[in-house]
Amino acid sequence: MVINIVQRLGSRVAVMGATIALLACGAPSTAQREIVQPLPGADAQQTQGFASYLDTVADRARREGVSQRAIDAVLPTLSFDESVAALDRRFAPTPAGQAFPSFGPEMAKRINAAKIRQGRQVYADEAARLVVIEQQTGVPASIMVSIFGHETSYGTIMGNTDLPRALATLAYEGRRRELFEGELIAVLKMIDKGVPRSVLRGSYAGAFGYPQFLPSVFLKLAKDGDGDGKAEIWSSRADAFASIANYMVAAGWRRGEPWGFAVSVPATLNTNAIASRERVAKCARAVERHSEWKTMREWKALGVYPAGGVWPADDRVEASLLITPGLDAQGYLLTRNYRAILDYNCSNYYAMSVGLLADGVRN
């Protein structure tokens, strides 16, 4: 199905490569492709303020058990990077009420025949490990591969920004200090655990490695997938896949359920009557576009029908309805597993393209 979607969209839109743009929610993508070059010439007042701020970070780090060795090895080497701060301001949250981009062109930016071929090759190359991880976690191999492909174009684009400097800059800038100061402390904890400073390079917003984890996520969810006792998500595909699957499980992935599928929606369906009143703590901007939850049996009774003609075997599985924006609007029934993908990156365009690419890789 996803190949047909790509072919249909391709006649109308030029495919724009593998860069994942920040869309629906405005949170920085975990796979931000822009490589930041430091800018010279910070003024004296800013330099002094930044150094004073790092003293407070050092105090907090000590309170949280970070060694003086790690503090001394990192914090005195850092300087403010105005280019990182400028990028963060550029990717401010999408204002409420602003129209969403049309679905078709956005999918064409993320999924194309070449990306599907690459994903299938990765799937074939890593099949033995992927099957084991899927059996252990219930997360399909195709989902792991698809996230790997979306985040770093299958490991080829991971970013080259120094994470401690970027995180210190974003924390000092202050718009989201609580978030980024916590991530800076997490980087120090990683160094205390033996992670080399040399591998701590990634996106301007602090994500790194094949899965583009933030440092705090690494500390909580990174897994050893190849049995060497380390979770080297920046160099080991096995570790990356195990870590992605572990993230999905932590986000609520349900074994045996699909992520979702395209459906035909009858013109008589009253979408206002099924509008969601759900309140969520995370990804609210994306989730507000979903309907209320109904079982597959209930959707069937409302005249909704799978585009592929096949319903999930268990008609008790719950799903919400999303009708994509734009002239090429399409209905999708989305399960709790879609929400797990959405947890990875709060954008319907991201989560949908992960699911569709996974379908293409698997089929």
Side-chain angles (χ1 to χ4, degrees), residues 193-257:
K193 291 178 178 293
V195 176
R197 170 75 183 270
S198 60
V199 306
L200 295 176
R201 306 192 71 82
S203 79
Y204 86 91
F208 77 109
Y210 290 150
Q212 291 288 278
F213 277 2
L214 288 171
S216 63
V217 176
F218 174 86
L219 290 173
K220 293 175 184 175
L221 297 175
K223 296 281 286 184
D224 172 21
D226 54 20
D228 67 355
K230 302 175 184 179
E232 296 172 320
I233 64 170
W234 51 87
S235 59
S236 167
R237 284 184 173 184
D239 292 354
F241 292 139
S243 299
I244 289 169
N246 197 39
Y247 187 107
M248 289 292 103
V249 171
W253 189 273
R254 298 184 177 187
R255 184 186 292 268
E257 290 188 10

Short mmCIF file of all heavy atoms in Angstrom, two decimals, residues 193-257:
data_model
loop_
_atom_site.label_atom_id
_atom_site.label_comp_id
_atom_site.label_asym_id
_atom_site.label_seq_id
_atom_site.Cartn_x
_atom_site.Cartn_y
_atom_site.Cartn_z
N LYS A 193 29.63 7.17 33.51
CA LYS A 193 29.44 5.74 33.28
C LYS A 193 30.39 5.17 32.24
O LYS A 193 30.31 4.00 31.88
CB LYS A 193 27.99 5.47 32.87
CG LYS A 193 26.98 5.68 33.98
CD LYS A 193 25.56 5.44 33.48
CE LYS A 193 24.54 5.60 34.59
NZ LYS A 193 24.67 4.54 35.62
N GLY A 194 31.26 6.03 31.70
CA GLY A 194 32.28 5.55 30.78
C GLY A 194 32.03 5.81 29.31
O GLY A 194 32.79 5.35 28.46
N VAL A 195 30.96 6.55 28.98
CA VAL A 195 30.71 6.88 27.58
C VAL A 195 31.75 7.91 27.15
O VAL A 195 31.89 8.96 27.79
CB VAL A 195 29.29 7.44 27.38
CG1 VAL A 195 29.09 7.88 25.93
CG2 VAL A 195 28.25 6.40 27.78
N PRO A 196 32.50 7.66 26.08
CA PRO A 196 33.54 8.60 25.65
C PRO A 196 32.95 9.93 25.19
O PRO A 196 31.93 9.96 24.51
CB PRO A 196 34.22 7.87 24.48
CG PRO A 196 33.83 6.44 24.62
CD PRO A 196 32.48 6.44 25.25
N ARG A 197 33.60 11.02 25.54
CA ARG A 197 33.15 12.34 25.08
C ARG A 197 33.12 12.40 23.56
O ARG A 197 32.29 13.08 22.96
CB ARG A 197 34.10 13.41 25.64
CG ARG A 197 33.91 14.84 25.08
CD ARG A 197 32.68 15.51 25.65
NE ARG A 197 32.46 16.83 25.06
CZ ARG A 197 32.95 17.97 25.53
NH1 ARG A 197 33.71 17.96 26.62
NH2 ARG A 197 32.68 19.11 24.95
N SER A 198 34.00 11.68 22.91
CA SER A 198 34.13 11.74 21.46
C SER A 198 32.88 11.27 20.72
O SER A 198 32.65 11.65 19.57
CB SER A 198 35.33 10.92 20.99
OG SER A 198 35.18 9.56 21.37
N VAL A 199 32.06 10.43 21.36
CA VAL A 199 30.86 9.93 20.67
C VAL A 199 29.65 10.80 20.96
O VAL A 199 28.57 10.58 20.38
CB VAL A 199 30.54 8.46 21.06
CG1 VAL A 199 31.75 7.57 20.82
CG2 VAL A 199 30.05 8.35 22.51
N LEU A 200 29.80 11.80 21.81
CA LEU A 200 28.66 12.64 22.19
C LEU A 200 28.49 13.78 21.19
O LEU A 200 28.67 14.96 21.49
CB LEU A 200 28.86 13.18 23.60
CG LEU A 200 28.86 12.11 24.70
CD1 LEU A 200 29.16 12.72 26.05
CD2 LEU A 200 27.54 11.36 24.72
N ARG A 201 28.13 13.39 19.98
CA ARG A 201 27.89 14.34 18.91
C ARG A 201 26.56 13.95 18.25
O ARG A 201 26.26 12.77 18.07
CB ARG A 201 29.02 14.35 17.88
CG ARG A 201 30.38 14.59 18.51
CD ARG A 201 31.45 14.88 17.48
NE ARG A 201 31.28 16.20 16.87
CZ ARG A 201 31.69 17.33 17.43
NH1 ARG A 201 32.29 17.33 18.61
NH2 ARG A 201 31.50 18.49 16.82
N GLY A 202 25.76 14.96 17.91
CA GLY A 202 24.46 14.66 17.33
C GLY A 202 23.76 15.90 16.83
O GLY A 202 24.39 16.77 16.23
N SER A 203 22.47 16.00 17.08
CA SER A 203 21.68 17.12 16.58
C SER A 203 21.87 18.34 17.47
O SER A 203 22.32 18.23 18.61
CB SER A 203 20.20 16.75 16.52
OG SER A 203 19.62 16.83 17.82
N TYR A 204 21.46 19.50 16.98
CA TYR A 204 21.58 20.72 17.76
C TYR A 204 20.76 20.66 19.05
O TYR A 204 21.06 21.35 20.03
CB TYR A 204 21.13 21.94 16.93
CG TYR A 204 19.64 22.19 16.98
CD1 TYR A 204 19.09 23.04 17.93
CD2 TYR A 204 18.78 21.54 16.10
CE1 TYR A 204 17.72 23.25 18.00
CE2 TYR A 204 17.42 21.75 16.17
CZ TYR A 204 16.90 22.61 17.11
OH TYR A 204 15.55 22.81 17.19
N ALA A 205 19.71 19.83 19.07
CA ALA A 205 18.82 19.75 20.23
C ALA A 205 19.18 18.62 21.17
O ALA A 205 18.41 18.30 22.07
CB ALA A 205 17.38 19.61 19.77
N GLY A 206 20.35 17.98 20.99
CA GLY A 206 20.84 17.04 21.97
C GLY A 206 20.60 15.57 21.69
O GLY A 206 20.99 14.72 22.49
N ALA A 207 19.95 15.23 20.58
CA ALA A 207 19.71 13.83 20.25
C ALA A 207 20.93 13.24 19.55
O ALA A 207 21.61 13.92 18.79
CB ALA A 207 18.49 13.70 19.36
N PHE A 208 21.20 11.95 19.80
CA PHE A 208 22.42 11.37 19.23
C PHE A 208 22.25 9.88 18.98
O PHE A 208 21.30 9.24 19.45
CB PHE A 208 23.60 11.61 20.18
CG PHE A 208 23.64 10.69 21.38
CD1 PHE A 208 24.59 9.70 21.47
CD2 PHE A 208 22.71 10.82 22.41
CE1 PHE A 208 24.64 8.84 22.57
CE2 PHE A 208 22.74 9.98 23.50
CZ PHE A 208 23.71 8.99 23.58
N GLY A 209 23.20 9.32 18.23
CA GLY A 209 23.21 7.89 17.95
C GLY A 209 22.23 7.50 16.87
O GLY A 209 21.49 8.33 16.33
N TYR A 210 22.23 6.22 16.50
CA TYR A 210 21.34 5.72 15.46
C TYR A 210 19.86 6.01 15.76
O TYR A 210 19.11 6.37 14.87
CB TYR A 210 21.53 4.22 15.28
CG TYR A 210 22.84 3.81 14.64
CD1 TYR A 210 23.42 2.59 14.95
CD2 TYR A 210 23.49 4.63 13.73
CE1 TYR A 210 24.62 2.19 14.36
CE2 TYR A 210 24.68 4.24 13.14
CZ TYR A 210 25.25 3.02 13.47
OH TYR A 210 26.42 2.63 12.88
N PRO A 211 19.41 5.86 17.02
CA PRO A 211 17.99 6.14 17.30
C PRO A 211 17.72 7.60 17.66
O PRO A 211 16.58 7.97 17.91
CB PRO A 211 17.67 5.24 18.49
CG PRO A 211 18.95 4.73 19.03
CD PRO A 211 20.06 5.22 18.17
N GLN A 212 18.77 8.44 17.73
CA GLN A 212 18.64 9.84 18.11
C GLN A 212 17.94 9.99 19.45
O GLN A 212 16.96 10.72 19.61
CB GLN A 212 17.93 10.64 17.01
CG GLN A 212 18.75 10.79 15.74
CD GLN A 212 19.91 11.75 15.89
OE1 GLN A 212 19.76 12.95 15.79
NE2 GLN A 212 21.11 11.21 16.11
N PHE A 213 18.49 9.32 20.45
CA PHE A 213 17.99 9.44 21.82
C PHE A 213 18.54 10.71 22.46
O PHE A 213 19.70 11.09 22.24
CB PHE A 213 18.46 8.25 22.66
CG PHE A 213 17.62 7.01 22.55
CD1 PHE A 213 16.53 6.95 21.69
CD2 PHE A 213 17.93 5.89 23.30
CE1 PHE A 213 15.76 5.79 21.59
CE2 PHE A 213 17.18 4.73 23.21
CZ PHE A 213 16.09 4.68 22.36
N LEU A 214 17.74 11.35 23.30
CA LEU A 214 18.27 12.34 24.21
C LEU A 214 19.07 11.63 25.30
O LEU A 214 18.84 10.44 25.58
CB LEU A 214 17.14 13.15 24.83
CG LEU A 214 16.42 14.13 23.90
CD1 LEU A 214 15.19 14.69 24.58
CD2 LEU A 214 17.34 15.25 23.45
N PRO A 215 20.03 12.32 25.93
CA PRO A 215 20.85 11.66 26.96
C PRO A 215 20.04 11.01 28.08
O PRO A 215 20.35 9.91 28.53
CB PRO A 215 21.73 12.80 27.48
CG PRO A 215 21.88 13.71 26.30
CD PRO A 215 20.54 13.67 25.61
N SER A 216 18.97 11.68 28.55
CA SER A 216 18.16 11.09 29.63
C SER A 216 17.47 9.81 29.16
O SER A 216 17.30 8.87 29.95
CB SER A 216 17.12 12.10 30.12
OG SER A 216 16.21 12.43 29.07
N VAL A 217 17.07 9.77 27.90
CA VAL A 217 16.45 8.57 27.34
C VAL A 217 17.49 7.45 27.25
O VAL A 217 17.20 6.28 27.54
CB VAL A 217 15.82 8.86 25.97
CG1 VAL A 217 15.27 7.59 25.34
CG2 VAL A 217 14.72 9.90 26.10
N PHE A 218 18.69 7.80 26.84
CA PHE A 218 19.77 6.81 26.80
C PHE A 218 19.96 6.17 28.17
O PHE A 218 20.05 4.94 28.29
CB PHE A 218 21.07 7.46 26.34
CG PHE A 218 22.27 6.55 26.41
CD1 PHE A 218 22.58 5.70 25.37
CD2 PHE A 218 23.08 6.54 27.54
CE1 PHE A 218 23.67 4.84 25.44
CE2 PHE A 218 24.18 5.68 27.63
CZ PHE A 218 24.48 4.84 26.57
N LEU A 219 20.03 6.99 29.21
CA LEU A 219 20.26 6.46 30.55
C LEU A 219 19.14 5.53 31.00
O LEU A 219 19.38 4.54 31.69
CB LEU A 219 20.40 7.61 31.55
CG LEU A 219 21.67 8.46 31.43
CD1 LEU A 219 21.59 9.65 32.37
CD2 LEU A 219 22.92 7.63 31.73
N LYS A 220 17.90 5.81 30.59
CA LYS A 220 16.75 5.01 31.02
C LYS A 220 16.50 3.79 30.15
O LYS A 220 16.11 2.73 30.65
CB LYS A 220 15.49 5.88 31.02
CG LYS A 220 15.48 6.99 32.04
CD LYS A 220 14.24 7.86 31.87
CE LYS A 220 14.24 9.04 32.82
NZ LYS A 220 13.09 9.96 32.59
N LEU A 221 16.71 3.92 28.83
CA LEU A 221 16.16 2.92 27.92
C LEU A 221 17.15 2.27 26.95
O LEU A 221 16.78 1.32 26.26
CB LEU A 221 15.03 3.55 27.10
CG LEU A 221 13.82 4.04 27.91
CD1 LEU A 221 12.82 4.76 27.02
CD2 LEU A 221 13.14 2.89 28.62
N ALA A 222 18.37 2.74 26.88
CA ALA A 222 19.34 2.13 25.97
C ALA A 222 19.61 0.69 26.40
O ALA A 222 19.75 0.41 27.59
CB ALA A 222 20.63 2.93 25.93
N LYS A 223 19.69 -0.21 25.42
CA LYS A 223 19.85 -1.64 25.71
C LYS A 223 21.02 -2.23 24.92
O LYS A 223 21.35 -1.78 23.82
CB LYS A 223 18.57 -2.39 25.30
CG LYS A 223 17.34 -2.00 26.09
CD LYS A 223 17.28 -2.64 27.45
CE LYS A 223 16.94 -4.10 27.37
NZ LYS A 223 16.78 -4.73 28.71
N ASP A 224 21.61 -3.25 25.51
CA ASP A 224 22.64 -4.03 24.84
C ASP A 224 21.95 -5.06 23.96
O ASP A 224 21.23 -5.93 24.45
CB ASP A 224 23.51 -4.71 25.89
CG ASP A 224 24.50 -5.69 25.28
OD1 ASP A 224 24.80 -5.58 24.08
OD2 ASP A 224 24.97 -6.58 26.03
N GLY A 225 22.15 -4.96 22.64
CA GLY A 225 21.52 -5.90 21.73
C GLY A 225 22.44 -6.94 21.15
O GLY A 225 21.98 -7.90 20.51
N ASP A 226 23.76 -6.78 21.36
CA ASP A 226 24.70 -7.75 20.77
C ASP A 226 25.47 -8.55 21.81
O ASP A 226 26.37 -9.32 21.47
CB ASP A 226 25.68 -7.04 19.83
CG ASP A 226 26.41 -5.88 20.49
OD1 ASP A 226 26.47 -5.83 21.74
OD2 ASP A 226 26.94 -5.01 19.75
N GLY A 227 25.11 -8.38 23.09
CA GLY A 227 25.67 -9.23 24.13
C GLY A 227 27.06 -8.87 24.61
O GLY A 227 27.69 -9.69 25.31
N ASP A 228 27.55 -7.66 24.29
CA ASP A 228 28.89 -7.30 24.74
C ASP A 228 28.88 -6.51 26.04
O ASP A 228 29.92 -6.03 26.50
CB ASP A 228 29.65 -6.52 23.66
CG ASP A 228 29.06 -5.14 23.39
OD1 ASP A 228 28.01 -4.82 23.97
OD2 ASP A 228 29.66 -4.38 22.60
N GLY A 229 27.70 -6.37 26.64
CA GLY A 229 27.60 -5.67 27.91
C GLY A 229 27.52 -4.17 27.81
O GLY A 229 27.48 -3.47 28.83
N LYS A 230 27.47 -3.61 26.59
CA LYS A 230 27.41 -2.17 26.39
C LYS A 230 26.21 -1.82 25.51
O LYS A 230 25.78 -2.63 24.70
CB LYS A 230 28.70 -1.66 25.74
CG LYS A 230 29.96 -1.97 26.52
CD LYS A 230 31.20 -1.54 25.74
CE LYS A 230 32.47 -1.92 26.47
NZ LYS A 230 33.69 -1.53 25.68
N ALA A 231 25.73 -0.59 25.65
CA ALA A 231 24.64 -0.11 24.80
C ALA A 231 25.19 1.01 23.93
O ALA A 231 24.97 2.19 24.19
CB ALA A 231 23.48 0.38 25.65
N GLU A 232 25.91 0.64 22.90
CA GLU A 232 26.60 1.61 22.04
C GLU A 232 25.71 1.97 20.85
O GLU A 232 25.92 1.50 19.72
CB GLU A 232 27.95 1.04 21.59
CG GLU A 232 28.89 0.81 22.77
CD GLU A 232 30.17 0.08 22.40
OE1 GLU A 232 30.10 -0.86 21.58
OE2 GLU A 232 31.23 0.43 22.93
N ILE A 233 24.73 2.80 21.11
CA ILE A 233 23.72 3.11 20.09
C ILE A 233 24.27 3.97 18.97
O ILE A 233 23.56 4.22 17.99
CB ILE A 233 22.50 3.80 20.72
CG1 ILE A 233 22.88 5.15 21.33
CG2 ILE A 233 21.84 2.89 21.76
CD1 ILE A 233 21.68 5.99 21.76
N TRP A 234 25.49 4.44 19.08
CA TRP A 234 26.13 5.26 18.05
C TRP A 234 26.94 4.43 17.07
O TRP A 234 27.39 4.93 16.05
CB TRP A 234 27.04 6.29 18.71
CG TRP A 234 27.99 5.68 19.70
CD1 TRP A 234 29.22 5.14 19.45
CD2 TRP A 234 27.74 5.49 21.09
NE1 TRP A 234 29.76 4.63 20.60
CE2 TRP A 234 28.89 4.84 21.63
CE3 TRP A 234 26.69 5.81 21.94
CZ2 TRP A 234 28.98 4.52 22.99
CZ3 TRP A 234 26.79 5.48 23.28
CH2 TRP A 234 27.93 4.85 23.80
N SER A 235 27.15 3.14 17.35
CA SER A 235 27.98 2.31 16.47
C SER A 235 27.44 0.90 16.26
O SER A 235 27.87 0.21 15.33
CB SER A 235 29.41 2.22 17.03
OG SER A 235 29.40 1.67 18.34
N SER A 236 26.53 0.43 17.09
CA SER A 236 26.00 -0.93 17.00
C SER A 236 24.54 -0.91 16.58
O SER A 236 23.68 -0.40 17.31
CB SER A 236 26.14 -1.65 18.35
OG SER A 236 25.37 -2.84 18.37
N ARG A 237 24.25 -1.45 15.41
CA ARG A 237 22.86 -1.55 14.98
C ARG A 237 22.04 -2.41 15.93
O ARG A 237 20.89 -2.10 16.24
CB ARG A 237 22.78 -2.14 13.57
CG ARG A 237 23.15 -1.20 12.44
CD ARG A 237 22.93 -1.90 11.12
NE ARG A 237 23.11 -1.01 9.98
CZ ARG A 237 22.90 -1.36 8.72
NH1 ARG A 237 22.48 -2.60 8.44
NH2 ARG A 237 23.08 -0.49 7.73
N ALA A 238 22.65 -3.49 16.41
CA ALA A 238 21.93 -4.38 17.32
C ALA A 238 21.52 -3.63 18.58
O ALA A 238 20.38 -3.77 19.06
CB ALA A 238 22.81 -5.58 17.68
N ASP A 239 22.42 -2.84 19.14
CA ASP A 239 22.10 -2.06 20.33
C ASP A 239 21.01 -1.02 20.01
O ASP A 239 20.11 -0.77 20.82
CB ASP A 239 23.34 -1.34 20.85
CG ASP A 239 24.37 -2.31 21.42
OD1 ASP A 239 24.09 -3.51 21.51
OD2 ASP A 239 25.48 -1.84 21.77
N ALA A 240 21.12 -0.41 18.83
CA ALA A 240 20.12 0.59 18.43
C ALA A 240 18.73 -0.04 18.31
O ALA A 240 17.75 0.52 18.80
CB ALA A 240 20.53 1.24 17.12
N PHE A 241 18.64 -1.19 17.65
CA PHE A 241 17.33 -1.84 17.48
C PHE A 241 16.75 -2.26 18.83
O PHE A 241 15.55 -2.07 19.09
CB PHE A 241 17.46 -3.05 16.57
CG PHE A 241 17.78 -2.72 15.14
CD1 PHE A 241 18.68 -3.48 14.41
CD2 PHE A 241 17.19 -1.63 14.51
CE1 PHE A 241 18.97 -3.17 13.09
CE2 PHE A 241 17.48 -1.31 13.19
CZ PHE A 241 18.38 -2.08 12.48
N ALA A 242 17.59 -2.83 19.69
CA ALA A 242 17.12 -3.24 21.01
C ALA A 242 16.64 -2.03 21.80
O ALA A 242 15.64 -2.10 22.54
CB ALA A 242 18.22 -3.96 21.77
N SER A 243 17.32 -0.91 21.64
CA SER A 243 16.97 0.31 22.38
C SER A 243 15.68 0.92 21.83
O SER A 243 14.82 1.39 22.60
CB SER A 243 18.11 1.32 22.29
OG SER A 243 19.29 0.79 22.88
N ILE A 244 15.51 0.92 20.52
CA ILE A 244 14.27 1.42 19.92
C ILE A 244 13.08 0.58 20.39
O ILE A 244 12.04 1.11 20.77
CB ILE A 244 14.37 1.42 18.38
CG1 ILE A 244 15.34 2.50 17.91
CG2 ILE A 244 12.99 1.62 17.74
CD1 ILE A 244 15.72 2.39 16.43
N ALA A 245 13.25 -0.74 20.36
CA ALA A 245 12.17 -1.62 20.81
C ALA A 245 11.85 -1.39 22.28
O ALA A 245 10.68 -1.37 22.69
CB ALA A 245 12.55 -3.08 20.57
N ASN A 246 12.88 -1.20 23.09
CA ASN A 246 12.67 -0.94 24.51
C ASN A 246 11.91 0.36 24.72
O ASN A 246 11.04 0.45 25.59
CB ASN A 246 14.02 -0.89 25.23
CG ASN A 246 13.89 -1.03 26.74
OD1 ASN A 246 13.08 -1.82 27.23
ND2 ASN A 246 14.68 -0.28 27.49
N TYR A 247 12.22 1.37 23.91
CA TYR A 247 11.48 2.63 23.97
C TYR A 247 10.01 2.41 23.64
O TYR A 247 9.12 2.91 24.33
CB TYR A 247 12.09 3.64 23.00
CG TYR A 247 11.50 5.03 23.12
CD1 TYR A 247 12.23 6.05 23.69
CD2 TYR A 247 10.20 5.32 22.69
CE1 TYR A 247 11.69 7.34 23.83
CE2 TYR A 247 9.66 6.58 22.83
CZ TYR A 247 10.40 7.58 23.39
OH TYR A 247 9.85 8.83 23.53
N MET A 248 9.76 1.65 22.59
CA MET A 248 8.37 1.40 22.19
C MET A 248 7.59 0.67 23.28
O MET A 248 6.43 1.00 23.56
CB MET A 248 8.35 0.57 20.90
CG MET A 248 8.78 1.30 19.64
SD MET A 248 7.61 2.60 19.13
CE MET A 248 8.50 4.04 19.69
N VAL A 249 8.22 -0.30 23.91
CA VAL A 249 7.56 -1.03 25.00
C VAL A 249 7.24 -0.07 26.15
O VAL A 249 6.14 -0.08 26.70
CB VAL A 249 8.45 -2.19 25.49
CG1 VAL A 249 7.87 -2.80 26.77
CG2 VAL A 249 8.56 -3.26 24.40
N ALA A 250 8.21 0.77 26.50
CA ALA A 250 8.01 1.73 27.58
C ALA A 250 6.89 2.72 27.24
O ALA A 250 6.19 3.22 28.13
CB ALA A 250 9.30 2.47 27.88
N ALA A 251 6.72 3.00 25.94
CA ALA A 251 5.69 3.94 25.49
C ALA A 251 4.32 3.28 25.35
O ALA A 251 3.35 3.95 24.99
CB ALA A 251 6.10 4.57 24.16
N GLY A 252 4.25 1.97 25.61
CA GLY A 252 2.96 1.30 25.63
C GLY A 252 2.65 0.41 24.45
O GLY A 252 1.48 0.07 24.21
N TRP A 253 3.68 -0.03 23.71
CA TRP A 253 3.44 -0.89 22.55
C TRP A 253 2.73 -2.17 22.98
O TRP A 253 3.10 -2.81 23.96
CB TRP A 253 4.74 -1.25 21.85
CG TRP A 253 4.50 -1.95 20.55
CD1 TRP A 253 4.33 -3.29 20.37
CD2 TRP A 253 4.35 -1.35 19.26
NE1 TRP A 253 4.09 -3.58 19.04
CE2 TRP A 253 4.10 -2.39 18.34
CE3 TRP A 253 4.42 -0.03 18.80
CZ2 TRP A 253 3.93 -2.15 16.98
CZ3 TRP A 253 4.24 0.21 17.45
CH2 TRP A 253 3.99 -0.85 16.55
N ARG A 254 1.71 -2.57 22.19
CA ARG A 254 0.93 -3.77 22.48
C ARG A 254 1.24 -4.86 21.46
O ARG A 254 1.04 -4.68 20.27
CB ARG A 254 -0.56 -3.45 22.46
CG ARG A 254 -0.97 -2.43 23.51
CD ARG A 254 -2.47 -2.21 23.54
NE ARG A 254 -2.84 -1.28 24.60
CZ ARG A 254 -4.09 -0.99 24.93
NH1 ARG A 254 -5.11 -1.57 24.30
NH2 ARG A 254 -4.36 -0.13 25.90
N ARG A 255 1.72 -5.97 21.97
CA ARG A 255 2.10 -7.09 21.10
C ARG A 255 0.91 -7.57 20.27
O ARG A 255 -0.19 -7.75 20.78
CB ARG A 255 2.61 -8.25 21.96
CG ARG A 255 3.14 -9.45 21.18
CD ARG A 255 3.49 -10.59 22.13
NE ARG A 255 4.62 -10.28 22.98
CZ ARG A 255 5.89 -10.58 22.69
NH1 ARG A 255 6.16 -11.20 21.55
NH2 ARG A 255 6.86 -10.27 23.51
N GLY A 256 1.14 -7.76 18.98
CA GLY A 256 0.14 -8.36 18.11
C GLY A 256 -0.84 -7.39 17.48
O GLY A 256 -1.63 -7.79 16.62
N GLU A 257 -0.83 -6.12 17.88
CA GLU A 257 -1.74 -5.14 17.30
C GLU A 257 -1.04 -4.38 16.18
O GLU A 257 0.16 -4.10 16.27
CB GLU A 257 -2.23 -4.14 18.35
CG GLU A 257 -3.18 -4.74 19.37
CD GLU A 257 -3.79 -3.67 20.28
OE1 GLU A 257 -3.62 -2.46 19.99
OE2 GLU A 257 -4.42 -4.05 21.28
#
